[in-house]
Amino acid sequence: MPLLEPPWPPGLAPLKAVDDLLRCGICFDYFSIAVIIPQCSHSYCSLCIRKSLSYKTQCPTCCVAVSESDLKNNRILDDLVKSFNSARQQLLNLVLEAPPVPSPPA
Amino acid sequence: MPLLEPPWPPGLAPLKAVDDLLRCGICFDYFSIAVIIPQCSHSYCSLCIRKSLSYKTQCPTCCVAVSESDLKNNRILDDLVKSFNSARQQLLNLVLEAPPVPSPPA
Ligand SMILES: [Zn+2]
Ligand SMILES: [Zn+2]
Ligand SMILES: [Zn+2]
Ligand SMILES: [Zn+2]
């Protein structure tokens, strides 16, 4: 499980949906060595889905039958997690440094 | 080819790397119906890679042999393109509305 994370500041809230998509549906943390199940297109961390398949040989999201040999790396997700995490940190620093945005004149 | 796009404003420059990853290496536009080549993990727009395979049956990036029946949907990329595009638009509006950030005191 991920550590409890601070909420997104209001200015960066639009990125929350992107953040959600880059998280594994089993551990809810960012994908770590992402793999795709080609028959249903769902992706998980390699370790998370292998552990899950050792109990039940199906996709935890859509229940399609899956065996470990079906899993294929989805490397673009690892790259996206890396770039997104770095962008998030840089944007958080910018937002924390910037003065609050004044309300528009009435 | 995508239309010529305005540069990222300085405050949002950290997101450029994420933007780059969400683009197809054939058309350089955002993925449209993304598909993955399971044997090498490279992803492209469905139409772009099918057209490319009709000329040469290999991955245009790493040259591994590929046939059209290998291609599998990589749906999470379609969802990421959608969410990222919407976040980008909202953040651009915020940046354009916000006053410039003053330099820190010397
Ligand atoms: Zn996981
Ligand atoms: Zn599934
Ligand atoms: Zn394309
Ligand atoms: Zn390839």
Side-chain angles (χ1 to χ4, degrees):
Chain A
M1 290 289 287
L3 294 174
L4 196 61
E5 285 167 32
W8 288 76
L12 296 181
L15 290 173
K16 176 77 167 60
V18 178
D19 185 277
D20 284 344
L21 285 167
L22 291 176
R23 290 174 183 274
C24 163
I26 298 176
C27 70
F28 302 111
D29 209 340
Y30 290 121
F31 291 114
S32 169
I33 313 181
V35 294
I36 187 172
I37 300 174
Q39 55 268 49
C40 69
S41 203
H42 287 120
S43 292
Y44 303 96
C45 307
S46 175
L47 283 177
C48 289
I49 186 64
R50 285 175 210 277
K51 205 188 289 178
S52 175
L53 292 179
S54 74
Y55 290 104
K56 212 169 181 183
T57 55
Q58 62 178 42
C59 171
T61 302
C62 70
C63 302
V64 71
V66 181
S67 72
E68 203 172 321
S69 62
D70 296 323
L71 305 175
K72 302 292 175 191
N73 284 98
N74 199 352
R75 277 194 215 104
I76 196 170
L77 292 182
D78 300 327
D79 296 337
L80 280 162
V81 163
K82 213 165 126 187
S83 295
F84 183 76
N85 235 330
S86 146
R88 182 178 74 142
Q89 207 46 64
Q90 290 175 67
L91 289 171
L92 278 173
N93 292 344
L94 275 179
V95 166
L96 295 178
E97 280 166 18
V101 177
S103 316
Chain B
M1 289 288 288
L3 294 175
L4 196 61
E5 285 166 30
W8 287 77
L12 296 182
L15 290 173
K16 176 75 167 62
V18 178
D19 184 277
D20 284 344
L21 285 167
L22 291 176
R23 291 174 183 274
C24 163
I26 297 175
C27 69
F28 302 110
D29 209 341
Y30 290 123
F31 291 115
S32 169
I33 315 181
V35 294
I36 187 172
I37 300 175
Q39 55 267 49
C40 68
S41 202
H42 287 122
S43 292
Y44 302 96
C45 306
S46 176
L47 284 178
C48 290
I49 186 63
R50 284 174 210 278
K51 206 188 289 180
S52 174
L53 292 179
S54 74
Y55 291 104
K56 212 168 182 184
T57 54
Q58 62 179 42
C59 171
T61 301
C62 68
C63 302
V64 71
V66 181
S67 72
E68 202 171 322
S69 61
D70 296 323
L71 304 175
K72 302 293 173 190
N73 284 96
N74 199 352
R75 276 194 216 103
I76 195 170
L77 292 182
D78 300 327
D79 295 338
L80 280 163
V81 163
K82 213 165 127 187
S83 294
F84 184 76
N85 235 331
S86 146
R88 183 177 76 144
Q89 207 46 63
Q90 290 175 68
L91 289 171
L92 279 174
N93 292 343
L94 275 179
V95 166
L96 296 178
E97 279 166 18
V101 176
S103 317

